[in-house]
Amino acid sequence: MRADLADLHAFLAVARAGGFREAARGAGGSPSGLSDAVRRLEAALGLRLLHRTTRSIRPTEAGERLLQRLEPALGEVAAALEAVADFRDRPAGTLRLNVPVSAARLVLPRIVPPFLAAYPDIRLEVMAEDEFVDLLRAGCDAGIRYDERLDADMIAVPIGPRRQRFATAAAPDYLRRHGRPEHPRDLLGHACLRGRFPGGALYPWEFERAGELVRVDPTGPLLVGLGGATDLAVAAAIAGTGIIKLFEDWLRPHLDSGALEPVLEPWWQSFSGPFLYYPGRRLVPAPLRAFIDFVRDRAD
């Protein structure tokens, strides 16, 4: 049994669009040409793949089963053809990344502008969200996450600084009014600005010094959703509302300017930097390969 690849694409286009005329508008062909292609495919398979009426077209049971296997298979074919672009001097196409808000703010600004300048034929789409997603289902080529959140079947490439710290800080005015904590447990008597992950869990406050790990669960007047609302907590800390705990790099401009002062700095916990990750079971598209090579060349 043999089926022409173009006929398979025609069947997929018609099934997605729900009609020959609609598919022709999207594919740039003719309804009659698509109809002929689907008939050839049905003849080659010896099966009816589409129910046709004057008002609608929908897949048969056999057509549905073929669709389920055909879409990912043709996606792999497209990726294989796109990977040939690696042999060109100027890789082209779209690269889609899914990243946490912290990476969009702290890691990518130093990488994206020079990367796009080096590869003007690549278009970059960045989706910033703190909820872990299925890359393929989200239509993304790669993502950025920290190592404890990577699946075993992913290939990981270090990106950005390899060591980072969580910093605790408060405005000078707040510390004058309420005093300076000397131990993490002192935070239980302070107004603390907390964050909540998309899944609902509170962002943990952990501190470490000389091998001693301390976890505290302070309360305060403000709780924000991590990601888009994080800057609100930073602004509240600068205004003297309470103590904030966040990436050191996020707070660094305000620490350097004096708008915030370090709190419990000897207890600031460090952690490994983020990774660019992508599925290891598929061919790497040319724009992603260019980005991977660019990141490796600029490794900190």
Side-chain angles (χ1 to χ4, degrees):
M1 173 190 314
R2 296 187 61 183
D4 187 273
L5 185 60
D7 294 346
L8 289 170
H9 277 289
F11 164 69
L12 183 60
V14 172
R16 282 174 171 170
F20 292 102
R21 192 177 303 278
E22 294 80 0
R25 280 198 294 265
S30 68
S32 61
L34 291 173
S35 179
D36 290 342
V38 172
R39 285 196 182 92
R40 283 196 301 270
L41 179 60
E42 289 178 327
L45 298 177
L47 293 167
R48 179 174 291 277
L49 300 175
L50 295 174
H51 289 301
R52 302 166 176 84
T53 69
T54 56
R55 297 193 174 193
S56 67
I57 289 177
R58 60 184 178 84
T60 63
E61 183 178 358
E64 286 284 3
R65 183 168 298 185
L66 179 60
L67 275 175
Q68 292 172 5
R69 302 293 295 271
L70 189 60
E71 288 190 279
L74 290 181
E76 288 296 318
V77 171
L81 294 176
E82 190 176 358
V84 177
D86 281 334
F87 294 97
R88 298 191 325 218
D89 292 334
R90 294 161 64 97
T94 299
L95 171 61
R96 296 178 178 87
L97 301 179
N98 182 278
V99 307
V101 173
S102 58
R105 184 185 180 96
L106 305 176
V107 176
L108 291 182
R110 289 177 288 178
I111 296 173
V112 167
F115 171 74
L116 293 178
Y119 296 96
D121 295 328
I122 290 179
R123 179 174 178 264
L124 181 63
E125 293 184 15
V126 178
M127 284 135 278
E129 54 187 328
D130 284 307
E131 190 168 1
F132 195 71
V133 302
D134 183 314
L135 285 181
L136 297 182
R137 186 170 297 175
C140 295
D141 301 293
I144 295 178
R145 285 295 183 271
Y146 289 84
D147 53 358
E148 71 273 13
R149 302 190 66 183
L150 293 180
D151 292 335
D153 62 344
M154 294 290 173
I155 296 176
V157 177
I159 185 172
R162 299 325 306 143
R163 298 302 299 174
Q164 294 180 272
R165 290 195 301 176
F166 289 118
T168 319
D173 176 64
Y174 176 90
L175 296 174
R176 280 194 298 269
R177 288 184 288 115
H178 299 281
R180 182 181 295 273
E182 299 297 333
H183 189 278
R185 294 189 186 91
D186 295 340
L187 294 169
L188 297 175
H190 282 266
C192 294
L193 312 177
R194 301 294 301 273
R196 189 187 297 278
F197 291 114
L202 285 176
Y203 170 66
W205 281 34
E206 295 182 347
F207 299 86
E208 190 171 2
R209 184 176 70 174
E212 180 185 1
L213 180 66
V214 178
R215 296 183 178 90
V216 295
D217 188 23
T219 60
L222 180 63
L223 175 65
V224 301
L226 291 174
T230 302
D231 278 330
L232 174 59
V234 175
I238 294 171
T241 305
I243 298 175
I244 191 170
K245 185 174 186 288
L246 194 59
F247 289 92
E248 179 184 3
D249 290 343
W250 201 314
L251 298 179
R252 177 50 57 190
H254 309 298
L255 293 168
D256 291 343
S257 72
L260 294 174
E261 292 185 7
V263 172
L264 298 170
E265 187 168 3
W267 289 88
W268 288 3
Q269 194 177 43
S270 66
F271 56 97
S272 61
F275 289 84
L276 175 74
Y277 73 103
Y278 57 97
R281 61 182 181 273
R282 60 181 299 191
L283 291 168
V284 179
L288 177 56
R289 171 53 58 195
F291 189 70
I292 292 168
D293 293 341
F294 190 85
V295 167
R296 281 179 169 152
D297 289 343
R298 292 171 57 91
D300 290 3

